[in-house]
Amino acid sequence: MRFTRIILLALVCLVFLASKAAHAVQPDEVMSDPARESRARELSRELRCMVCQNQSIDDSDAPLARDLRLLVRERIASGDTDAQVIDFLVARYGEFVLLKPRFNSRTLLLWLLPPLALAGGGLALWANMRRRSGSNAREDESLLKLTADEEARIEALMSDERPPEKPV
């Protein structure tokens, strides 16, 4: 019984993972030429919906996303290349319209900050581990050595004698 539940749960998860995301492209937006429609879909996946901001215009149901999809198809129909369509939209809406920003001088910090932060964090962890291992070794050595008073007390306890009185 338990094995059947596991298999059923795995199949349900597989169905959810295998299903394609629903696209918001309406039938009246689709171009008659399959090659141009494919280009439009590829470009739509690279462009951010300015309303949703975390979805491509291909996945968004927002009216602005529909307008951008139509604009992309209109530019493709007029003979623009993919780069020209992207450049037109960036000129009109700014770099924010791209889901994956271009690597240039204005986006240098955006691209380099995550690897630099990761490297800095790793370096800080390494330095901390190294500092801790050095101080632990010194502490361990000091814990192994007994003072003269401690040795005298141990000798007294082992010989069932009273420890020597300390002069005040």
Side-chain angles (χ1 to χ4, degrees):
M1 186 71 172
R2 181 175 165 96
F3 184 71
T4 311
R5 285 184 181 174
I6 292 172
I7 289 179
L8 183 61
L9 181 62
L11 286 174
V12 169
C13 290
L14 184 64
V15 167
F16 281 121
L17 291 174
S19 65
K20 275 185 118 174
H23 296 290
V25 177
Q26 303 299 316
D28 62 333
E29 297 175 28
V30 177
M31 299 178 87
S32 58
D33 182 11
R36 286 183 175 182
E37 178 61 25
S38 175
R39 281 181 54 208
R41 283 289 177 94
E42 285 300 316
L43 287 173
S44 295
R45 287 186 196 104
E46 296 175 17
L47 299 170
R48 179 187 318 271
C49 173
M50 304 303 274
V51 175
C52 308
Q53 296 186 4
N54 208 17
Q55 283 183 320
S56 70
I57 62 171
D58 196 47
D59 297 328
S60 176
D61 287 328
L64 180 60
R66 176 182 165 78
D67 293 344
L68 286 173
R69 286 192 303 265
L70 290 172
L71 184 59
V72 166
R73 284 166 172 75
E74 178 184 306
R75 301 294 295 192
I76 288 174
S78 69
D80 285 359
T81 65
D82 293 353
Q84 289 172 328
V85 172
I86 295 289
D87 290 341
F88 174 79
L89 291 170
V90 167
R92 194 171 204 187
Y93 296 102
E95 288 279 332
F96 188 71
V97 77
L98 300 175
L99 278 173
K100 183 180 175 187
R102 299 173 182 166
F103 186 78
N104 59 32
S105 61
R106 291 189 347 218
T107 60
L108 188 66
L109 187 62
L110 175 70
W111 282 101
L112 296 181
L113 192 59
L116 289 176
L118 187 62
L123 187 61
L125 284 174
W126 175 77
N128 188 23
M129 297 278 286
R130 187 172 168 120
R131 183 181 50 83
R132 284 180 151 213
S133 68
S135 65
N136 285 344
R138 286 190 296 271
E139 288 174 8
D140 290 343
E141 290 174 10
S142 66
L143 292 175
L144 294 177
K145 295 179 183 177
L146 299 176
T147 63
D149 289 341
E150 291 171 336
E151 286 181 12
R153 286 187 64 206
I154 289 175
E155 287 295 326
L157 288 173
M158 291 178 68
S159 64
D160 289 328
E161 297 176 9
R162 288 184 42 196
E165 296 293 323
K166 288 185 183 178
V168 182

